[in-house]
Amino acid sequence: MMGRKDEYQSKLEFIDLNTFVPSNHILRQINEKIDFSFVYNKMEKYYSKLGRKSLDPVLLFKMLLIGYLYNVDSERVLEQEVNLNIAYRWFLGLDLSDTVPDHSTFSQNRRRRFKDSTVFQEIFDYIIDLCIENGLVTGEVIVTDSTHIKASAAKGKAEKVVVEKTPSHYLNTLEKEAKKIEKELEDKRIESGKKKRGRKSKSSSTEKISVIKRTLTLAY
């Protein structure tokens, strides 16, 4: 008898994302071997004690690390990838129902909060160094191979990643993409402004007709 999968997907389930991430997955290895709590101490002075809570700085750096390891050169694409990938969500501490940080919010936190300091680059470099020290990233820069991830997925073997960019090169790539998006938005605003200025408002037309009628009446 031929089986057929029901299309009904609205049932209520309790899901533990931890069960979906293999023991040898690179992000599980990183999570077990690297303590990211040092980021809070380094970042503390750049955040106000008052106001709304900002994007968690550890989540910010972890998302950047995902983008770096998996060669995601756009913050817009990174947001989409995290939204869809269970392993990424697990690594970031996001449940399936949690909202992934918007790429514009992510970009603003990365670019503006630390623009007058080198601390952001220093922390990101340090995180990559920790990955290298723990044997999770080779530290080699591959420029001839278009395949970014070189992961050994053999049974019982931990994954290791070969990266094709330095941390600073990766951040520079994100910066170029962010500036490109800003220019696109600015061009749209300018174009929208031109279109609005080119329209004749109904009120102004009505006023002109009224003035003409009044003039004709007076002349008569």
Side-chain angles (χ1 to χ4, degrees):
M1 178 174 154
M2 182 178 68
R4 182 172 292 184
K5 180 75 174 68
D6 294 334
E7 294 183 3
Y8 181 73
Q9 292 184 315
S10 299
K11 61 183 178 180
L12 181 64
E13 291 186 89
F14 293 97
I15 297 174
D16 180 7
L17 298 187
N18 185 58
T19 62
F20 292 93
V21 184
S23 60
N24 67 334
H25 196 285
I26 182 66
L27 295 180
R28 183 179 287 280
Q29 298 295 314
I30 290 172
N31 202 56
E32 290 175 355
K33 295 181 179 180
I34 296 178
D35 181 4
F36 286 84
S37 62
F38 77 91
V39 173
Y40 293 120
N41 294 329
K42 288 279 188 181
M43 294 279 102
E44 190 173 8
K45 68 179 182 179
Y46 297 95
Y47 291 83
S48 171
K49 304 276 186 192
L50 305 172
R52 291 187 309 169
K53 283 188 177 180
S54 68
L55 179 65
D56 186 328
V58 169
L59 188 148
L60 174 65
F61 279 102
K62 280 188 170 184
M63 272 188 74
L64 275 176
L65 182 59
I66 289 172
Y68 178 64
L69 296 178
Y70 291 91
N71 199 27
V72 183
D73 288 342
S74 163
E75 286 160 329
R76 279 192 291 194
V77 176
L78 182 57
E79 177 193 347
Q80 295 166 4
E81 291 294 320
V82 171
N83 198 42
L84 294 171
N85 192 298
I86 287 179
Y88 295 173
R89 281 181 170 273
W90 171 84
F91 182 63
L92 298 172
L94 298 174
D95 290 327
L96 290 178
S97 59
D98 289 337
T99 303
V100 176
D102 177 82
H103 69 271
S104 59
T105 303
F106 184 87
S107 181
Q108 287 172 13
N109 274 265
R110 176 183 64 79
R111 301 172 69 203
R112 298 177 185 176
R113 190 179 295 277
F114 317 106
K115 65 179 180 179
D116 297 322
S117 170
T118 59
V119 67
F120 194 89
Q121 181 71 62
E122 290 168 2
I123 291 176
F124 191 53
D125 288 346
Y126 181 63
I127 290 171
I128 303 304
D129 287 342
L130 289 176
C131 289
I132 294 171
E133 287 174 14
N134 282 278
L136 303 169
V137 174
T138 65
E140 301 171 17
V141 178
I142 306 299
V143 292
T144 57
D145 193 343
S146 61
T147 304
H148 182 76
I149 294 295
K150 295 286 189 179
S152 172
K155 193 173 181 180
K157 248 184 165 181
E159 289 185 348
K160 181 183 281 191
V161 173
V162 177
V163 293
E164 63 180 7
K165 293 177 181 176
T166 63
S168 59
H169 184 188
Y170 177 67
L171 291 181
N172 286 336
T173 302
L174 291 184
E175 185 64 21
K176 287 178 183 177
E177 173 69 11
K179 287 180 178 178
K180 178 183 174 184
I181 293 171
E182 281 185 346
K183 187 177 185 307
E184 288 173 358
L185 292 173
E186 183 60 26
D187 289 344
K188 285 180 181 178
R189 280 194 288 267
I190 293 171
E191 185 62 29
S192 177
K194 286 180 180 177
K195 287 180 179 178
K196 285 180 180 178
R197 286 195 296 273
R199 292 175 187 165
K200 291 183 178 179
S201 65
K202 290 183 179 179
S203 59
S204 62
S205 299
T206 305
E207 286 172 7
K208 285 180 181 178
I209 291 170
S210 178
V211 170
I212 290 171
K213 282 182 177 180
R214 231 179 278 124
T215 304
L216 289 172
T217 303
L218 290 171
Y220 181 76

